[in-house]
Every structure is written in C-alpha cells, then in structure tokens.
Amino acid sequence: DGGITQSPKYLFRKEGQNVTLSCEQNLNHDAMYWYRQDPGQGLRLIYYSQIVNDFQKGDIAEGYSVSREKKESFPLTVTSAQKNPTAFYLCASSIGPRGMSYEQYFGPGTRLTVT
Amino acid sequence: GENVEQHPSTLSVQEGDSAVIKCTYSDSASNYFPWYKQELGKRPQLIIDIRSNVGEKKDQRIAVTLNKTAKHFSLHITETQPEDSAVYFCAARDYKLTFGKGTLLTVNP
C-alpha cells in the first residue's frame, strides 16, 4: 500500500503545542495537498503545492503552515493558533501541471486529537 | 470560488437495488469531476471520474453522468452489494478540487 504515506496514524497533543504531521510520496508527483476532514463536512483544502519550494493557501489555511523543500515531502504544522485542531488530516498527491491526469491519490490519514 | 452541493447526505438501499447520488457545482470553468469512495477509517479512493467534454462514463456497475448546462453530475451504482456501503464524495475542479460533503450509502443484505 505504498505510494503516499502519512505518519503517525494517531497523534495526541495538549492544547497550545505545535504539532507536525508527516506526508511522503514516492510516486514522482509534483503536486501535493493537505485536507482536513470533519464529520459531515467533506474534505476541505488547507494548503497545496504544485512544485518544490512553492505552496499556496487553500480554503482553511489559518493556523496551519507547510513547507515543500523536497519533491517527496510536504509536512503540515498545526500551530497553537488553530482554534479547533482535532480532526482527521489527509495528504494527497497528483502528477501536477506537467501531466494530463488530475487524479489525486490519498494517504491513509492522521487522526489528531488535541485536549 | 467553486461550491459543490451533494445530495442526499444519507442513502439506504436493499441489496440489488440501484443508488443515485447527485451533485451540483457553481463554477462553469470546472472541467473535471471525480467521485471518491471512503470506507470507515480509510483513505478516499477514486472510483470514477469524468471530464467536461464527456456526458457519460461507465465502469461495470458504476456510471457517472454530467450535464454542463445545468451544472450537475450524478453517480449511479447498479446491482448494489453490501461492500458498496461507504461514504461517497463528489468533487469539481476549476484550478483545485472542491468536495461535496459526502453521502453515507448503506446497502442492506
């Protein structure tokens, strides 16, 4: 089940702490994405990156930060400024601008609980 | 930006019946419409997609139809089986994917 991996599967943090979620892909995809999933809310885009060293805010970027220093990696930091961080976080990748396919491949997700 | 509405939010059918899930979108520039299936606790997986230059696409028991004029698209599952039970998401892409809120499909044996 390789391709795109996220770690850890479950993460627990105290309120006020920053936490970084890992996302790695070996699909040679240029584009990577972070989504947040809450019950009944579908998937909402946090940040995306079409190419190394470049990223854009999605619909709900406040309280989150990302970096894209390597093609394979797109870590997401949930900062203490995020008011309601408890959620299921999904990373995805796609070929990107150079390819004709728009299909996004998802990682297994990280369930973050902040108390 | 794009807005995607998905209905119904829950759908219960008997095994062997058909299931239909409908989505509408707002941005006429959207050109790609995928459907994802997500089983409990698992990652979403693409089951079928359609581009704006095509009106219908089939893959075995699954079909998607697109009406660009009305800005709506639908997922049709025939001969449903218990393993079809999952949450289904539609999405529309202008420059990024915007997802509907999902439909919980339950197929009763």
Side-chain angles (χ1 to χ4, degrees), chain A residues 1 37 100 103-104 106-107, chain B residues 36 38 43 46 51 89:
Chain A
D1 218 9
Q37 187 173 28
M100 294 299 294
E103 181 177 354
Q104 290 189 13
F106 284 87
Chain B
Y36 284 85
Q38 186 179 29
R43 72 186 81 193
L46 181 73
R51 297 210 179 200
F89 293 98

Side-chain angles (χ1 to χ4, degrees), chain A residues 16-108:
Chain A
Q17 293 179 333
N18 290 356
V19 60
T20 297
L21 281 58
S22 165
C23 178
E24 305 277 330
Q25 53 97 3
N26 61 4
L27 300 168
N28 198 33
H29 285 171
D30 286 318
M32 297 186 74
Y33 312 83
W34 274 105
Y35 293 92
R36 171 182 171 136
Q37 187 173 28
D38 298 283
Q41 290 295 317
L43 282 71
R44 292 182 290 168
L45 183 64
I46 304 172
Y47 267 98
Y48 64 102
S49 168
Q50 297 276 51
I51 200 165
V52 174
N53 293 321
D54 185 53
F55 49 83
Q56 307 294 331
K57 291 182 180 180
D59 300 317
I60 56 164
E62 186 176 347
Y64 299 97
S65 66
V66 293
S67 62
R68 187 83 188 279
E69 296 175 3
K70 296 188 301 181
K71 187 175 185 176
E72 302 80 18
S73 178
F74 191 40
L76 173 74
T77 297
V78 184
T79 75
S80 56
Q82 167 51 232
K83 291 182 172 47
N84 187 17
T86 294
F88 188 50
Y89 290 88
L90 285 159
C91 180
S93 70
S94 66
I95 287 177
R98 62 181 169 85
M100 294 299 294
S101 171
Y102 297 137
E103 181 177 354
Q104 290 189 13
Y105 296 80
F106 284 87

Side-chain angles (χ1 to χ4, degrees), chain B residues 44-75:
Chain B
Q45 296 201 303
L46 181 73
I47 54 170
I48 196 167
D49 57 11
I50 192 168
R51 297 210 179 200
S52 57
N53 58 348
V54 175
E56 184 175 0
K57 185 176 179 181
K58 278 187 181 181
D59 183 3
Q60 299 182 349
R61 296 186 297 110
I62 294 172
V64 57
T65 58
L66 171 65
N67 183 327
K68 283 194 299 181
T69 304
K71 292 202 213 113
H72 66 70
F73 57 113
S74 301
L75 177 72

